[in-house]
Amino acid sequence: MIHEVFMPALSSTMTEGKIVSWTKSPGDKVAKGETVLVVESDKADMDVESFSEGYLATILVPAGESAPVGATIGLIAETEAEIAAAQQQASTESAPQTTPEESTPEPVVTASTPTPPVTTTVSNNGRKVASPRARKLAKELGIDWQSIPGSGPHGRVVVEDIEKASGKAPVATTPTLEVKPASKPQTVAVTPTPSGEVSAFNTLQQAVNRNMMASLEVPTFHVSYTITTDALDNLYRQIKSKGVTMTALLAKAVAVTLQKHPLLNANYTDGGIQYRSNINIAVAVAMPNGGLITPVLQNAAQIDIYSLSRSWKELVDKARAKQLQPEEYTTGTFTLSNLGMYGVNSFDAILPPGQGSILAIGASRPQVVATETGMLGIRQQMNVTITCDHRVIYGADAASFLQDLAKLIETEPQSLTL
């Protein structure tokens, strides 16, 4: 029996996935539950396991290529004798789109010695396929891409084919990223994009774009507050040597304050307000190759500051190595976005889908203020701005939360170490 390998849906927002690498080559033995390939989802690189035992007969979508969720990307034969039949099935299920002289051999990723390329020219289940960029360009130029011979793997129509059909000079393709399997830390090599060329969005950027467009449909408002940080800064200097980060201190302060304001930790649903049992603080992290991700500090109010700081460092390392598991970036109930580290005074953050609030944190700067004695003095102050879903939270709710957060930071920061 021959089994198909499908592109899995690794997240609720994923519509297509990019194959980072195949961990097996055609002809290799595959055990049930064994990792066969690594797929780049919206936020991380994930191992994909085989549901069948047998032999990887053929790879239909090579490493570096993308395929829609549910598309067939490979075939597994139950026995060695069926490998040839599986390869024949792959080659006969679709009509070739190029002549033998023009066909492009399929690159095969292998962990050891090279394997001869599989010279199939199949598309997806016998249907002709085109890359998302090629389909978009064809639509813009008014070209029927299904009538164009494809020069990509398996007869896949790529951007260069559309440009050639339109008489337009081919544009250099977007630089590729060199990545290692998800089970190991990755080294990413990026070639700068030449000036004037269009660089396609990567998978993470596409996910961010979709989330931001969804956020525009939510009625939001912003409330700003100035917080004096001298006491918090003093505490940070005292415990910094123990591995405590300012991000963890701020996350802890917000989580503790949210215990008094559960509405700020809630979110909108069609049936009403959904109150959360946990306070999970997501913190926005910029990724080196574009886009951002929000690793989550689970139950931040209950975790001591030292453990919280260690957890944060581990999450950031995993995020930048694209090793985060879904529960480590999808379970946030309240988000922090800190651009203060870049010297930004204040800004408004866009509300993430599925949450009721996000707090934008500006830089802490020395300011001339009137002291309690009526004299002028210098105080370190930062501006924070909260963005809230107005269907759930009102202005007074947000203002009360910020007032209590300021009180904690200004007068009771030592309690964060308890």
Side-chain angles (χ1 to χ4, degrees):
M1 183 177 294
I2 298 171
H3 303 276
E4 294 179 312
V5 180
F6 298 104
M7 175 62 71
L10 302 177
S11 71
S12 59
T13 59
M14 180 175 168
T15 58
E16 77 168 20
K18 179 179 178 181
I19 297 176
V20 175
S21 65
W22 286 86
T23 60
K24 295 289 184 178
S25 298
D28 286 353
K29 185 78 167 64
V30 176
K32 186 176 182 180
E34 185 177 9
T35 297
V36 179
L37 72 156
V38 179
V39 171
E40 178 185 3
S41 69
D42 293 349
K43 302 293 176 69
D45 290 354
M46 305 291 290
D47 292 338
V48 178
E49 300 176 349
S50 172
F51 288 102
S52 307
E53 182 176 350
Y55 298 84
L56 180 61
T58 185
I59 292 173
L60 303 183
V61 182
E65 289 287 319
S66 299
V69 169
T72 303
I73 56 178
L75 296 177
I76 292 179
E78 286 191 355
T79 65
E80 285 187 277
E82 293 175 312
I83 293 178
Q87 293 176 349
Q88 180 64 28
Q89 173 183 321
S91 62
T92 57
E93 282 185 347
S94 67
Q97 300 300 322
T98 57
T99 62
E101 292 79 9
E102 296 172 338
S103 63
T104 304
E106 176 185 353
V108 178
V109 175
T110 173
S112 53
T113 57
T115 303
V118 182
T119 56
T120 56
T121 55
V122 302
S123 55
N124 186 21
N125 288 333
R127 294 173 294 142
K128 193 165 184 179
V129 295
S131 70
R133 289 182 62 204
R135 291 197 297 269
K136 180 179 179 182
L137 181 60
K139 183 177 180 181
E140 293 173 351
L141 298 176
I143 295 174
D144 180 10
W145 62 266
Q146 297 193 43
S147 64
I148 300 173
S151 63
H154 328 300
R156 184 183 178 94
V157 177
V158 294
V159 170
E160 289 77 7
D161 300 324
I162 303 298
E163 292 172 338
K164 182 178 179 181
S166 67
K168 181 179 177 182
V171 177
T173 57
T174 304
T176 58
L177 305 181
E178 299 178 1
V179 293
K180 296 181 181 179
S183 58
K184 300 178 181 179
Q186 300 174 9
T187 301
V188 181
V190 181
T191 304
T193 302
S195 176
E197 293 188 6
V198 176
S199 177
F201 292 116
N202 60 37
T203 310
L204 175 57
Q205 289 170 322
Q206 291 172 357
V208 172
N209 293 346
R210 289 193 297 269
N211 286 343
M212 295 305 96
M213 292 304 296
S215 295
L216 292 178
E217 300 178 2
V218 177
T220 59
F221 68 95
H222 312 281
V223 178
S224 297
Y225 205 100
T226 300
I227 301 177
T228 300
T229 64
D230 291 279
L232 184 67
D233 293 337
N234 288 335
L235 173 63
Y236 177 59
R237 284 190 288 268
Q238 294 170 17
I239 59 179
K240 179 180 179 181
S241 62
K242 299 179 181 179
V244 174
T245 66
M246 181 57 76
T247 296
L249 278 172
L250 292 170
K252 177 79 170 181
V254 168
V256 170
T257 307
L258 285 172
Q259 290 179 314
K260 302 178 181 178
H261 299 270
L263 185 63
L264 274 292
N265 195 50
N267 66 287
Y268 171 88
T269 68
D270 290 337
I273 300 173
Q274 180 180 9
Y275 287 89
R276 309 296 189 94
S277 57
N278 297 331
I279 297 176
N280 300 335
I281 305 299
V283 185
V285 174
M287 298 296 284
N289 296 300
L292 60 86
I293 194 168
T294 53
V296 178
L297 289 166
Q298 307 279 348
N299 297 310
Q302 276 74 45
I303 307 299
D304 68 86
I305 192 61
Y306 306 102
S307 298
L308 203 64
S309 295
R310 288 192 295 271
S311 296
W312 177 243
K313 184 181 184 304
E314 292 172 0
L315 286 169
V316 171
D317 290 343
K318 292 176 69 174
R320 290 181 173 157
K322 299 182 72 176
Q323 299 295 309
L324 286 176
Q325 298 301 305
E327 65 272 12
E328 294 176 318
Y329 62 82
T330 62
T331 54
T333 60
F334 187 103
T335 297
L336 299 184
S337 180
N338 183 7
L339 292 182
M341 64 183 70
Y342 297 101
V344 173
N345 290 326
S346 63
F347 66 103
D348 296 336
I350 298 177
L351 185 69
Q355 295 185 24
S357 306
I358 179 172
L359 187 67
I361 301 174
S364 179
R365 298 180 180 278
Q367 303 287 344
V368 178
V369 299
T371 66
E372 296 79 1
T373 60
M375 305 295 288
L376 294 179
I378 304 294
R379 297 287 187 272
Q380 289 288 133
Q381 293 186 329
M382 69 178 180
N383 184 272
V384 298
T385 301
I386 192 168
T387 301
C388 298
D389 185 341
H390 214 328
R391 297 171 298 181
V392 177
I393 302 162
Y394 301 121
D397 303 316
S400 178
F401 166 78
L402 293 177
Q403 191 175 49
D404 284 344
L405 177 63
K407 180 181 178 182
L408 173 60
I409 290 175
E410 292 176 351
T411 65
E412 305 167 2
Q414 289 290 341
S415 65
L416 299 176
T417 63
L418 301 179

